[in-house]
Amino acid sequence: MTEVQLHHYEMGADVVAFSTTRRGGCSTDKYASFNINRYCGDSEEHVVRNREALCQQLGISNDRLIMPHQTHDTRVVCIDEALLSLTMTERQTALEGVDALMTDMPGVCIGVSTADCIPLLLYDPRHHVVCAIHAGWRGTVARIVEKAVSAMTKTYGTQPFDLVAQIGPGISLDSFEVGQEVYDAFAAAGFDMKEISRLYTKWHIDLPECNRQQLITSGLRTDRITLSGICTYKACDTFFSARRLGIESGRIFTGILINT
């Protein structure tokens, strides 16, 4: 077991925001070496040990590291005292089919898992609220980012122009080749295809840009939106990529934590 190496983001003095890398931990083969996702085929023992290592580095207990079982849907769940009071089995049920989390609780790290999909973090410094979003192409087409911002507004009174946003590592336009049916899905959903797609041998879609545009549509200021610029497909030695490594491989965890 080696020390977990995190890719940190600067989103404000009151929060810790990061994506895990493949460095550190104890997982092996295509999960090497740091993976905390128990839904992708990794050894349960390795997942548990890696979670413990991350929690130790963050200074939180294991029950304060919250990760849903994502299904490429648009459900946004609030992490509050009621959810944290559930048994682990009840909590797992509550977080089934969830692709975005939000909370105003200090000392609780919420996050999402990706391996080419786009992770996004949002921070409302006025109300001290954070949100983590998983946006694969299906979630992007269904405008999960817009729904997450709306949920923050409804639940906490967040004003979109106050938000700070970080778009994490994900597959780039150059690497995200898609079939005609995926292109058609984006077009049918009202995206400006001249802005978000390119035709090489086949169509390619710019997922980070699609989600950046949703943030702007939601009312965020452009100067408060930061893109990591990291393509997981090209940087698969440092960040997991399902397209390069296969579905049975590790996942990046992109999380955010309000300081206590």
Side-chain angles (χ1 to χ4, degrees):
M1 172 73 74
T2 57
E3 184 177 357
V4 180
Q5 294 186 24
L6 306 179
H7 182 83
H8 285 278
Y9 307 111
E10 293 296 330
M11 297 185 67
D14 295 330
V15 295
V16 176
F18 63 91
S19 291
T20 59
T21 70
R22 297 185 66 182
R23 313 294 185 217
C26 61
S27 293
T28 59
D29 300 325
K30 292 183 179 180
Y31 303 98
S33 55
F34 187 80
N35 168 65
I36 64 167
N37 187 307
R38 56 173 38 97
Y39 302 108
C40 59
D42 196 4
S43 158
E44 179 67 18
E45 177 187 351
H46 290 165
V47 169
V48 169
R49 290 176 61 191
N50 288 338
R51 279 182 62 98
E52 290 173 349
L54 178 59
C55 289
Q56 183 176 8
Q57 188 160 326
L58 295 174
I60 60 175
S61 58
N62 184 62
D63 67 335
R64 292 301 189 263
L65 178 61
I66 313 297
M67 179 177 64
H69 184 202
Q70 302 154 193
T71 56
H72 298 274
D73 207 336
T74 59
R75 280 188 63 203
V76 184
V77 166
C78 173
I79 305 302
D80 54 16
E81 288 286 2
L83 189 138
L84 292 179
S85 69
L86 298 175
T87 66
M88 294 306 293
T89 299
E90 291 170 335
R91 184 187 296 189
Q92 186 173 353
T93 299
L95 295 176
E96 177 67 31
V98 174
D99 284 78
L101 302 174
M102 57 185 180
T103 191
D104 62 353
M105 298 184 66
V108 175
C109 181
I110 59 172
V112 292
S113 296
T114 59
D116 288 332
C117 295
I118 308 302
L120 296 94
L121 300 175
L122 304 177
Y123 172 47
D124 174 357
R126 184 184 299 272
H127 296 91
H128 298 285
V129 176
V130 293
C131 182
I133 307 165
H134 162 245
W137 76 261
R138 291 178 180 83
T140 300
V141 165
R143 300 186 182 276
I144 186 173
V145 167
E146 294 177 24
K147 293 176 181 178
V149 172
S150 178
M152 293 179 74
T153 298
K154 181 178 180 180
T155 304
Y156 301 107
T158 292
Q159 296 300 312
F161 55 78
D162 285 331
L163 285 170
V164 178
Q166 175 68 55
I167 299 176
I171 198 165
S172 65
L173 180 146
D174 287 345
S175 301
F176 190 41
E177 179 183 286
V178 301
Q180 186 65 45
E181 73 283 358
V182 176
Y183 176 93
D184 291 343
F186 277 87
F191 287 88
D192 185 340
M193 302 312 291
K194 291 182 179 179
E195 290 290 327
I196 61 98
S197 67
R198 296 289 184 276
L199 181 61
Y200 300 139
T201 305
K202 292 186 178 181
W203 284 110
H204 286 233
I205 299 289
D206 191 339
L207 277 184
E209 177 60 20
C210 289
N211 287 285
R212 190 186 76 89
Q213 289 185 10
Q214 286 188 49
L215 291 169
I216 294 170
T217 298
S218 297
L220 273 74
R221 292 168 39 180
T222 57
D223 63 340
R224 292 195 175 187
I225 303 172
T226 303
L227 289 87
S228 72
I230 298 170
C231 173
T232 46
Y233 186 86
K234 296 176 181 177
C236 66
D237 58 333
T238 304
F239 296 93
F240 291 110
S241 168
R243 284 206 170 196
R244 290 292 292 274
L245 301 169
I247 296 298
E248 294 186 353
S249 59
R251 300 292 186 268
I252 304 160
F253 179 76
T254 297
I256 189 164
L257 167 74
I258 303 172
N259 292 322
T260 54

